Amino acid sequence: MRELTYPLLIINIIAFLAFGYDKFQAKRDGWRVPEKTLLIFCLFFGAIGGFLGMKIFRHKTMTPIFLLGVPILMAVQLVILSLLFYYK
């Protein structure tokens, strides 16, 4: 399972930074990260980073798909990872 540690860490850091960058750009009317891209980062096991990005940057917290989808994805991913670590 050690081989999964770094890829999971990297995707979560990318998701976290993407939420932060999008918030930064939203304040300045700059180029935004598409919602689809943010969700894809979360879907590919970056939901923890996405969730932390939502909370820390206070971004996308009122958008229904993020408000419900990211925590659900995070819970599902944590269960999957727990099972992988348990049965490995």
Side-chain angles (χ1 to χ4, degrees), residues 30-85:
W31 179 84
R32 304 280 304 274
V33 177
E35 287 186 351
K36 183 178 179 180
T37 302
L38 294 173
L39 288 171
I40 288 171
F41 285 140
C42 291
L43 182 65
F44 288 107
F45 284 85
I48 294 171
F51 182 76
L52 290 174
M54 285 174 58
K55 296 299 178 181
I56 290 172
F57 300 117
R58 295 183 188 154
H59 191 52
K60 299 289 185 191
T61 56
M62 300 305 285
T63 307
I65 188 70
F66 288 94
L67 181 65
L68 297 173
V70 173
I72 290 170
L73 275 174
M74 185 175 64
V76 169
Q77 290 171 8
L78 286 173
V79 167
I80 291 170
L81 290 173
S82 297
L83 291 172
L84 283 174
F85 280 101

Side-chain angles (χ1 to χ4, degrees), residues 18-34:
F19 274 84
Y21 179 76
D22 192 48
K23 176 67 174 204
F24 176 80
Q25 291 294 75
K27 287 183 174 181
R28 285 154 186 79
D29 288 326
W31 179 84
R32 304 280 304 274
V33 177

